[in-house]
Amino acid sequence: MGAARMKVYNGCAILLFGMIVFGSLMAAASTGPTDMSTAILVRVDQSGINGDFKKIQDAIDSVPSNNSELYFIWVKPGTYREKIVVPADKPFITLSGTRASDTIITWGDTGEIIDSATLSVFASDFVGRYVTIQNTFGTSGKAVALRVAADRAAFYGCKILSYQDTLLDDNGRHYFSNCYIEGATDFICGNAASLYERCHLHSLSREDGAITAQHRNSTSEDTGFIFSGCKITGIGTALLGRPWGAYSKVVFYLTNMSSVVLPQGWDDWGDQSKQSTVCYGEYKCYGPGANRTKRVKWSSSLSSDEAAPFLTMDMIGGRDWLRPVPTHFKRGSTILTEQADGITRD
């Protein structure tokens, strides 16, 4: 296994995954799919008319343990009132709607943060596409919509909705593209290594709510949240983040920050000792909320060299594991192909 490259700024060590993940990826590939263009199609239709299952959980349960093929679970439009778990022994699943606005997974649980999620992903190599995932519990407690606690997970065009702890980005390497994420209190939290590209972050906080609560606990942990080309809006005022872990790491670059972002930007969560250990940076952000003249002094305006490690997929090793959408599907001996308006027979 090659040696990792290290970048350091303001005391924060940044490990670039690109040179260290090769061995683990090759090990995964030996038991994973050899054909990334073809997936087994499983259809979910709550009406029971045009589907193999009425419930999403039943479709997930039908995937064999430790499967070595891609499974594509196509969810027809509807509101699915389910609390869903993707178990660790069911890798290589894609869960896809056609539009997030009409394919909704909803539940309303609270309690311990690790138990309240509407959708919990424990399986590696998971993909979510064009679905809404929401927790409707309300404003009085922890209410996770999505928990991601597995390596190599990606989400495209999803809506993730709740109030407190909306997205528990728990552990592993993750990628979020063109997602809408909404909440008020620490609504993107956890200790994953995640890249958010072109995502819309919407704060429901009336005042002083935090968008992020990243949970990195030491310099040896290669984790952090990176936001690239995103947009921040809201109904009141919000902080960019506060440290759930003493070595919390969050970077925003090329992000449009509305006036919802408080001038100080960041908070130490009542522990001044964390000011010397957190890694909070901004690079070429714009909009009224990006003005750094009143930012806390222990956050950073990154130079081009300091920002360089965050301008690629290297932190999550994404070039090696992000996979394209399958172009062919099979159900038994029937081969199908994807078209713009859905999946139809050849």
Side-chain angles (χ1 to χ4, degrees), residues 3 9 17 23 48 61 66-67 70 82 130 179 185 217 219 234 240 289-290 297 313 316:
Y9 76 88
F17 277 98
D61 292 344
N66 304 310
N67 62 283
L70 296 180
E82 301 184 53
Y130 310 124
C179 291
T185 305
N217 292 299
T219 56
L240 294 172
K297 301 303 181 184
M313 289 278 186
I316 62 169

Side-chain angles (χ1 to χ4, degrees), residues 1-6 15-26 222 320:
M1 187 178 296
R5 292 178 292 138
M6 191 72 71
L15 188 65
L16 303 183
F17 277 98
M19 296 181 68
I20 67 168
V21 296
F22 183 76
S24 61
L25 286 164
M26 289 301 292
D222 312 312
D320 296 300

Side-chain angles (χ1 to χ4, degrees), residues 31-48:
T31 56
T34 56
D35 178 6
M36 288 294 182
S37 68
T38 302
I40 296 172
L41 176 66
V42 180
R43 302 170 303 166
V44 179
D45 182 2
Q46 63 185 185
S47 72

